[in-house]
Amino acid sequence: MTVAETELPTIKRPTAYDQWLADEGLKVVSGLFIEDLNTVELGDWARRGCRAAVARLEGAEDVNDAHIIELAPGGETAPERHLYEEITYVVSGRGLTRVWNSAGDRSEFEWNAGSVFSVPLNAYAQHFNSSGSQPARFYTVTSAPLVMRLFHNRSFVYDCDFDFTDRFGAGKDDFSGAGTAYQNRVWESRFIPDAADIELKSWDARGAGGSNVMLEIADNSLCGHVSQFPVGTYKKAHRHNAGAHVIILGGTGFSLLWRDGEPVRKVDWKAGSIVVPPEQWFHQHFNSGPTPARYLALRWGSKKYPMFRQFLIDRPTTEGGDQIEYRDEDPSVRATFEAELARHGATSRMDDVYARAARPSR
């Protein structure tokens, strides 16, 4: 006797993270990029006592998200602790954050537009807007989607009483802005006063005279980097894991993003824009404006605590890596760049770069 097989209907069940978004009543921002963080429409986040939205962008693929939080003039958030990591970039405003744990350790620090900081894992935190006339806005990248789906128990995520004393407590950095430099381009700290002013080091591997610093922040698995590239230039195309939130700090330009074999998508950016390239999509950043272009990327990929597959982003695709060298790129890339420069009345500075790239390696 044979048993007939029947095809059951596919039912998409909401994840624990989906349910959390719905229960919190949060406004969700979707798409490939955000044109201007300063103008994103927010809703009420009753539990936190502030205005907010969640950036659930295409390229994050629910390996992380970002909470866009706005404090009213003189306002404050409700205190909270949680078991997901977070790194905050201050979009605008100035204020104060208090941090404490159950063991009695306490700290507080002031922040302003451009600051980057991380509340240590499962420490309590409360944010205060110091201005009585201007709002303050955060863009906070978090690991909430992974943690919600992993434990699918909200009480555990928010009410666990464990203190991570290896991340916050006696003898730990007090958000002074102090840090440790190592391996030439790595800066480890809990608080960066202004990402637009942090010192960068030359990074020839990405091309065109670019510079960079890698950020290890508050002993997180989430990390970041700040990169800058000169006027009239563009960076080499590369690909990596999902969830790299590229926040434009200064300059104007555009990015090309594509998956192998699919059409190229172009997004224009300026200070305040966000681009999040999806998993394994090649992407390439172009400076078509009159000033150097600088961005902050908040992402997975910590050198101390790696989480996912490590892409070979400094090795050419012709050698099994994940970076397209200038000599190997599609001719349409240069054509698009030249057309954008002409539209902005700017001049390419790539001739010497192309000439060096064309020389055979020794």
Side-chain angles (χ1 to χ4, degrees):
M1 182 177 69
T2 61
V3 178
E5 294 185 0
T6 59
E7 186 173 332
L8 296 175
T10 300
I11 301 174
K12 186 180 186 306
R13 297 175 58 88
T15 66
Y17 177 65
D18 293 327
Q19 194 62 55
W20 175 79
L21 285 172
D23 292 346
E24 294 289 307
L26 286 163
K27 183 177 179 61
V28 175
V29 180
S30 57
L32 188 63
F33 80 113
I34 294 173
E35 184 177 3
D36 189 348
L37 269 176
N38 297 283
T39 60
V40 171
E41 184 180 348
L42 308 178
D44 291 325
W45 195 353
R47 187 172 60 80
R48 298 300 310 275
C50 61
R51 302 279 290 169
V54 168
R56 194 182 189 183
L57 299 179
E58 183 178 342
E61 300 184 18
D62 277 357
V63 299
N64 56 27
D65 67 3
H67 303 171
I68 306 170
I69 292 174
E70 185 171 277
L71 303 178
E76 61 192 58
T77 61
E80 182 177 278
R81 74 190 305 182
H82 45 69
L83 284 173
Y84 50 83
E85 293 183 348
E86 60 177 43
I87 302 176
T88 293
Y89 166 68
V90 181
V91 180
S92 61
R94 58 186 174 84
L96 171 79
T97 292
R98 292 184 180 137
V99 182
W100 67 97
N101 62 14
S102 301
D105 300 298
R106 302 184 70 88
S107 187
E108 66 178 43
F109 59 95
E110 295 181 346
W111 41 259
N112 48 255
S115 295
V116 177
F117 64 85
S118 177
V119 172
L121 188 66
N122 212 37
Y124 287 101
Q126 187 172 20
H127 308 298
F128 300 85
N129 184 350
S130 298
S131 172
S133 59
Q134 299 295 322
R137 183 170 286 210
F138 293 169
Y139 188 82
T140 300
V141 174
T142 89
S143 60
L146 285 182
V147 171
M148 296 286 184
R149 299 200 313 272
L150 177 64
F151 295 113
H152 44 86
N153 185 303
R154 214 169 298 169
S155 179
F156 179 68
V157 172
Y158 285 104
D159 301 327
C160 176
D161 61 1
F162 183 81
D163 288 329
F164 287 81
T165 54
D166 56 328
R167 303 201 196 198
F168 178 67
K172 299 297 179 184
D173 173 42
D174 60 356
F175 302 94
S176 66
T180 303
Y182 60 94
Q183 294 180 358
N184 185 37
R185 287 188 298 106
V186 180
W187 179 249
E188 184 171 5
S189 183
R190 182 166 296 172
F191 177 75
I192 293 122
D194 190 348
D197 281 345
I198 192 170
E199 181 182 359
L200 308 182
K201 304 290 187 180
S202 176
W203 191 19
D204 292 334
R206 189 66 74 241
S211 53
N212 166 277
V213 64
M214 298 294 186
L215 303 174
E216 295 286 334
I217 303 175
D219 251 7
N220 289 326
S221 296
L222 285 171
C223 64
H225 65 268
V226 177
S227 291
Q228 181 169 300
F229 54 113
V231 172
T233 68
Y234 63 90
K235 297 165 71 71
K236 297 175 185 177
H238 62 288
R239 60 188 173 188
H240 49 58
N241 293 310
H245 297 245
V246 178
I247 305 165
I248 307 301
L249 303 178
T252 55
F254 66 97
S255 296
L256 300 180
L257 305 96
W258 70 96
R259 193 200 306 270
D260 263 344
E262 296 185 4
V264 175
R265 298 170 67 174
K266 176 177 175 290
V267 298
D268 297 310
W269 44 253
K270 59 184 179 181
S273 298
I274 303 281
V275 182
V276 186
E279 172 95 8
Q280 294 200 53
W281 281 39
F282 283 107
H283 50 282
Q284 198 161 8
H285 307 307
F286 301 77
N287 184 350
S288 57
T291 61
R294 178 178 282 224
Y295 61 81
L296 164 71
L298 300 178
R299 55 178 175 79
W300 295 107
S302 164
K303 294 180 179 299
K304 292 178 67 176
Y305 306 108
M307 282 278 291
F308 300 108
R309 166 192 169 188
Q310 299 297 298
F311 281 72
L312 303 174
I313 60 172
D314 287 346
R315 183 182 297 177
T317 51
T318 53
E319 299 174 11
D322 296 290
Q323 176 170 274
I324 300 176
E325 299 299 313
Y326 292 123
R327 63 179 175 271
D328 301 319
E329 66 187 12
D330 191 287
S332 64
V333 170
R334 297 186 194 182
T336 300
F337 182 55
E338 294 289 348
E340 285 293 313
L341 291 178
R343 192 164 69 87
H344 289 86
T347 303
S348 174
R349 299 185 182 179
M350 292 294 294
D351 286 346
D352 289 344
V353 177
Y354 296 149
R356 289 195 299 271
R359 294 176 195 148
S361 58
R362 296 182 178 179

